[in-house]
Amino acid sequence: MPDARHPARFVVYCCFGLFLAVQAWAQNVEPVTAIKAGRMIDVESGAVVDKPVIIIQGDTITAVGRKLPIPAGAAVIDLVGETVLPGLIDCHTHLLSALDPSIGDSTGALLQVAQMSTALRALLGASNARQDLESGITAVRDLGNSGLNGDVALRDAIRAEWVAGPRMQVSTRALAPVGAQFGPLSTDAQRLIDQEYAIVAGPESGRQAVRQAIFDGAQLIKIIVNAGPRMLSSDELRAIVDEAHRSGRKVAAHATSDTATALAAEAGVDSIEHAYEISDASLKLMAEKKIFLVPTDYPADYYAALFHRPNEP
């Protein structure tokens, strides 16, 4: 310990201690990066900003503006010939799936469940997640079709930086009516359904499925309102929505017919996915309840083949 009775020695010790403290602080300061771009799309104002500079400390953007001064010692990324914009958000993904449109969704999904383990699908998801990130998508809602909690595993692996990918909000298995989204199955093959879906048979069954999904790691709940002629009831939907909201989870509802869309809206879901058939009355109800519509579409050639009828142009 420095001795205050010897002032010169005391000052030397204090200066040396201060030097060590400053050195330790400097080593812990996160590196600074400056991006110089040609243009930037400001999504809040809707304006295009010329010659912006973006200052990043560690992994946090600390300043954005036109011709900002670049801090000394900052690493500079030169994008003066490029346009930059904030990361994109994909609100409807299935990162652990890779379906072949030529054989249809139902058959493709069944083959995935029958032929691929959840671990293998999680590795497929890691590949898809990297492609999303490299395409500029930095956050996704992943809505089921991921086996037994493969989406949770992928989300956690991305968080731990084991693999590269966007931030994920995941739903685990989708809650569905009997048979879910698969076509006709033999009695033995029906066991595959539980690997991909949580079957709902009554309001209490729906509540239990929500609790299980949350326990498994779901940040939101995905429901299949209609699958062909099979459809969840109003009571089942209300029970699912009530249980999810009671636990602070939002509900995304797969609905492709107007009847299914109206049922989901009346139950108070937070978003309706697809809505390929939807009436003005259903849209007005969604607007009144502030329910988001997440439209999706197939590639044009697949969509045309799916809905084309013989002898029609």
Side-chain angles (χ1 to χ4, degrees), residues 23-277:
Q23 187 179 50
W25 173 83
Q27 290 175 347
N28 290 326
V29 170
E30 294 178 309
V32 177
T33 302
I35 298 175
K36 297 170 63 178
R39 294 161 300 280
M40 180 187 72
I41 298 176
D42 183 341
V43 295
E44 292 186 349
S45 67
V48 176
V49 179
D50 288 326
K51 297 182 174 59
V53 174
I54 303 166
I55 307 298
I56 305 168
Q57 185 162 1
D59 58 2
T60 302
I61 295 174
T62 57
V64 178
R66 192 169 184 271
K67 297 183 178 180
L68 286 181
I70 296 176
V76 178
I77 298 176
D78 188 347
L79 297 176
V80 293
E82 307 294 339
T83 299
V84 300
L85 71 162
L88 302 173
I89 300 173
D90 190 338
C91 291
H92 190 113
T93 63
H94 300 285
L95 291 182
L96 281 73
S97 292
L99 302 182
D100 181 353
S102 67
I103 62 174
D105 285 359
S106 178
T107 301
L110 181 59
L111 287 174
Q112 271 190 163
V113 176
Q115 297 177 343
M116 297 177 68
S117 67
T118 297
L120 186 58
R121 292 178 69 180
L123 292 171
L124 169 65
S127 174
N128 288 336
R130 175 181 283 277
Q131 290 180 51
D132 260 13
L133 188 62
E134 291 176 349
S135 299
I137 296 170
T138 57
V140 302
R141 285 195 318 164
D142 202 69
L143 299 179
N145 298 113
S146 54
L148 290 169
N149 308 325
D151 52 355
V152 175
L154 179 59
R155 176 200 66 193
D156 293 349
I158 291 171
R159 283 179 175 175
E161 299 183 353
W162 294 354
V163 297
R167 292 184 298 276
M168 294 181 67
Q169 284 217 338
V170 303
S171 63
T172 70
R173 295 180 301 165
L175 281 56
V178 171
Q181 292 177 289
F182 294 152
L185 295 173
S186 69
T187 302
D188 289 339
Q190 289 178 29
R191 289 178 295 178
L192 295 173
I193 296 171
D194 291 336
Q195 294 184 37
E196 194 79 348
Y197 300 93
I199 298 305
V200 174
E204 190 54 39
S205 169
R207 289 185 182 276
Q208 179 56 37
V210 171
R211 294 172 190 146
Q212 184 67 53
I214 293 171
F215 180 77
D216 288 340
Q219 297 149 288
L220 72 157
I221 302 300
K222 168 72 178 298
I223 55 176
I224 307 298
V225 181
N226 68 309
R230 304 181 305 280
M231 195 173 304
L232 294 177
S233 71
S234 296
D235 289 342
E236 290 167 337
L237 290 169
R238 288 193 178 96
I240 290 168
V241 171
D242 177 69
E243 190 67 29
H245 287 176
R246 191 172 65 86
S247 300
R249 266 60 171 188
K250 295 186 182 298
V251 179
H254 164 107
T256 58
S257 70
D258 185 54
T259 300
T261 299
L263 283 171
E266 288 165 0
V269 302
D270 299 283
S271 69
I272 291 176
E273 318 293 311
H274 312 304
Y276 297 140
E277 299 174 7

